[in-house]
Amino acid sequence: MPHIPFLRKRANRSNFYGPDEDLPIFVAILMSIQHFLACVGGLITPTLLISGTGANALNLDSETRAYMIAASFIVSGITSLIYTSRYRIPRTRYFIGVGLLEVAGVAFSGLPAAQAMVENMYQDGTCQTEIMADGTINYLPCPDGFGAILGTQIVCSVLSIVFSFTSPRILRRMFPKIVTGIVLFCIGAKLITSSMKNWAGGSGPCMQRPEEGLFALCPNINAPNPQPWGSPVNFGLGASVFFTIILIELVGSVFMKNISVVIGLVVGCIIAACIGMFDSSSIDSAPAGTFLWVNTFKLSVYGPGVIPVLFTQVAIIIDSIGEITAVCDVSGKEVDGEEFQSRIQGGLLTDGLLGIFGGLATTMSTVVFTQNNGVISVTRCASRIAGYGCACILILCGILGKFSATFLAIPEPLIGGMTVYLFASVATSGLRILAYLDWTRRDRVIVAASLAIGLGVGLVPNWFRFVLPTVENPALNGFYSAIRTIISTSNIVAGFLAVILNLIIPYEEEEEAPKKRRDSDASVAPPIGGAHRMYYDEEMNSRKE
């Protein structure tokens, strides 16, 4: 029931279903659908953006994009099945899987590195461009660029496998909360720029607003009811999604809040259909059914992208530790001890193995989703049957080719209005982690210096582009290209700087004010997931000591 001011509600006395308890068939179906709705908006977003148009996207045709979305659903369903299960590796003490209700999808954190790689590939000629008659730059489709992203991901996923056999404490020491908070904040800030471009009409050639030609309107003049980039119509469409999400957060029921992104997108699609902007051609041309490897991409390792993707893998590892901690908490399991550590080990090993499988199955890295912990907390249903049901729905949606193609029919402004909220939530997670700092002078210097360069690069991407020369030596040119890719990725350069400054700036004696603040904040409720949960537990343990 929606929230009505001054109206009292009865306490929720529903039964709690543990991870290994059976569910009535109707409850199982309902819970599976609710978990699916909670994750579907975030699941499709990275694939939609990296396969779309613009200087940092692959500019692929609609058939290839529809397949990539279908593959994202299928792989997410398979990975959710494995995370929710738990298998002991024979004759060892190690596990694969977490054994709790987990729903996985394509990771947001991998998108900035992938976009930087694609942008660099267009600049170095790996991906091709052409100059149109009206002077605009047309970025040609680059499927081999996606193969390079997948191949690099496969190699870097080994890092998760290595960390799965070590203690999480080592990771906390290497990447303390001050580093992780900065990286997550820069990831969100970087991705918001792509969302705002889509909100205005897209990030393709039409963004240059040529007076005539194919891209005089967005996405092009042949689209149904095309509009100039930045037009009031585009602004209104994006706003319809964004403010619907905000409205639901204000007056919606708990169930509606869990699927607010989906509801906002549906409202926007209805408005777009009413004004003739909903393009159904991709749905009509899509096959009725599809599966993995219907389309394939030439796998390769893109050298300049290795370090950015390794940093992405670290972000996935940190997020997984916090997520597994949170799902143990809401599922009524211990968040300490040998069993808990084995779940962490199983989750990280699964991250690495599924990163390799995802690359081979034509999908970017997956990560367990935080929002599904909120569903568990509210519904008091942690039964793994709901996770298995949700995974089956994801696989079915991927196999149904028409369903996957539906997301390509959505106008870019609606995608922008949805993703700007999702990516701002990523940046907010970074701020929440930074809130655990004592904010001594040392902390302020590290944060200020790291964000100065990180946000600066995000706002002015060409800042470092012309510093290094272009040379004929292929090896040296590849080395320069790697440096450009690292520095042009805001979260990577900010993370590097934060790590270095955290190592070289000496600690100061703790001030009295931070001590008082920490004592007053001892009753703060734990977060329901994400990287900030890992640092919350670290903060609580330090207070006990």
Side-chain angles (χ1 to χ4, degrees):
M1 177 178 180
H3 170 70
I4 302 176
F6 311 112
L7 179 65
R8 290 186 177 181
K9 298 182 180 180
R10 293 182 179 180
N12 182 7
R13 301 184 184 276
S14 59
N15 294 328
F16 176 79
Y17 294 98
D20 299 317
E21 293 187 35
D22 293 331
L23 292 179
I25 187 68
F26 178 76
V27 175
I29 294 173
L30 183 62
M31 291 298 100
S32 300
I33 294 174
Q34 186 162 352
H35 279 283
F36 169 77
L37 293 175
C39 73
V40 65
L43 187 152
I44 63 170
T45 297
T47 304
L48 277 175
L49 293 184
I50 197 62
S51 65
T53 58
N56 59 2
L58 295 166
N59 300 276
L60 300 176
D61 59 83
S62 60
E63 292 182 3
T64 305
R65 296 185 71 197
Y67 164 76
M68 290 172 62
I69 294 173
S72 297
F73 274 112
I74 295 172
V75 171
S76 296
I78 294 173
T79 56
S80 298
L81 287 174
I82 297 174
Y83 276 115
T84 304
S85 305
R86 195 169 186 232
Y87 310 97
R88 181 189 290 272
I89 300 175
R91 300 182 180 181
T92 70
R93 58 186 178 89
Y94 300 110
F95 290 84
I96 297 175
V98 178
L100 299 174
L101 199 170
E102 296 276 25
V103 180
V106 182
F108 284 162
S109 53
L111 194 53
Q115 289 178 330
M117 289 170 64
V118 172
E119 187 171 5
N120 197 60
M121 282 188 274
Y122 275 115
Q123 292 174 2
D124 65 19
T126 304
C127 298
Q128 302 299 312
T129 61
E130 66 176 357
I131 306 298
M132 305 294 288
D134 55 12
T136 58
I137 301 176
N138 183 27
Y139 296 91
L140 300 177
C142 188
D144 287 349
F146 191 56
I149 293 172
L150 297 178
T152 309
Q153 164 192 314
I154 290 172
V155 172
C156 295
S157 293
V158 176
L159 185 67
S160 287
I161 298 176
V162 172
F163 272 110
S164 70
F165 300 111
T166 62
S167 171
R169 294 180 181 178
I170 297 176
L171 194 66
R172 291 191 185 103
R173 292 172 184 171
M174 293 176 61
F175 298 95
K177 51 182 173 281
I178 194 168
V179 174
T180 306
I182 290 170
V183 169
L184 284 180
F185 181 76
C186 288
I187 286 175
K190 168 70 175 177
L191 295 177
I192 285 174
T193 60
S194 299
S195 298
M196 296 301 286
K197 292 175 183 177
N198 287 329
W199 187 335
S203 55
C206 69
M207 190 175 67
Q208 303 172 47
R209 291 183 63 96
E211 296 182 359
E212 57 183 14
L214 180 63
F215 301 108
L217 299 175
C218 290
N220 58 65
I221 59 176
N222 298 322
N225 193 13
Q227 300 291 323
W229 194 88
S231 69
V233 174
N234 290 341
F235 177 82
L237 283 175
S240 69
V241 178
F242 182 80
F243 288 107
T244 297
I245 295 173
I246 302 301
L247 180 64
I248 291 172
E249 292 293 337
L250 290 174
V251 301
S253 65
V254 174
F255 173 76
M256 292 175 67
K257 289 178 181 178
N258 285 332
I259 62 171
S260 60
V261 172
V262 176
I263 295 175
L265 196 58
V266 169
V267 170
C269 287
I270 293 173
I271 296 174
C274 290
I275 62 176
M277 289 187 68
F278 200 83
D279 186 3
S280 62
S281 60
S282 60
I283 303 176
D284 297 335
S285 62
T290 187
F291 199 69
L292 299 176
W293 302 295
V294 170
N295 282 15
T296 57
F297 302 90
K298 182 181 177 181
L299 294 177
S300 63
V301 177
Y302 187 61
V306 170
I307 293 179
V309 177
L310 282 174
F311 235 89
T312 295
Q313 203 62 38
V314 169
I316 290 175
I317 293 170
I318 293 173
D319 196 59
S320 291
I321 293 175
E323 168 64 27
I324 294 169
T325 303
V327 77
C328 286
D329 190 13
V330 297
S331 300
K333 298 295 183 179
E334 294 293 330
V335 292
D336 199 4
E338 185 176 343
E339 181 181 350
F340 169 72
Q341 293 297 330
S342 71
R343 294 188 191 277
I344 295 288
Q345 174 272 313
L348 295 185
L349 181 57
T350 306
D351 283 341
L353 295 176
L354 293 182
I356 296 173
F357 168 74
L360 296 175
T362 64
T363 300
M364 294 194 298
S365 293
T366 56
V367 68
V368 286
F369 280 164
T370 299
Q371 53 265 45
N372 295 91
N373 289 340
V375 177
I376 296 174
S377 178
V378 170
T379 61
R380 295 175 55 78
C381 177
S383 174
R384 291 190 293 168
I385 294 176
Y388 291 135
C390 178
C392 292
I393 294 174
L394 289 171
I395 295 173
L396 179 62
C397 289
I399 293 175
L400 298 175
K402 299 288 185 183
F403 179 83
S404 302
T406 301
F407 296 101
L408 297 180
I410 301 173
E412 295 281 2
L414 301 183
I415 299 297
M418 175 188 72
T419 56
V420 74
Y421 177 83
L422 292 175
F423 295 151
S425 299
V426 176
T428 304
S429 296
L431 290 177
R432 184 167 185 175
I433 292 174
L434 292 176
Y436 295 130
L437 297 176
D438 292 332
W439 289 107
T440 61
R441 183 178 183 85
R442 178 183 185 275
D443 293 339
R444 294 195 299 271
V445 169
I446 294 174
V447 173
S450 302
L451 291 183
I453 303 300
L455 295 180
V457 168
L459 295 171
V460 188
N462 291 335
W463 173 67
F464 193 78
R465 180 178 176 183
F466 306 105
V467 173
L468 299 177
T470 301
V471 296
E472 296 182 0
N473 187 319
L476 184 59
N477 202 40
F479 176 70
Y480 287 162
S481 182
I483 295 176
R484 292 190 194 98
T485 303
I486 293 170
I487 296 184
S488 64
T489 310
S490 59
N491 58 298
I492 305 301
V493 67
F496 265 124
L497 190 56
V499 169
I500 294 171
L501 292 177
N502 186 59
L503 291 174
I504 64 176
I505 297 180
Y507 286 90
E508 299 177 354
E509 291 187 8
E510 194 172 31
E511 300 171 2
E512 191 66 25
K515 289 182 180 180
K516 293 180 179 179
R517 182 187 64 79
R518 291 206 310 270
D519 292 340
S520 64
D521 288 349
S523 60
V524 174
I528 61 172
H532 44 285
R533 177 57 192 254
M534 185 176 82
Y535 295 106
Y536 171 88
D537 291 337
E538 179 185 7
E539 179 72 11
M540 294 300 103
N541 291 335
S542 66
R543 291 179 189 180
K544 291 177 182 178
E545 294 173 359

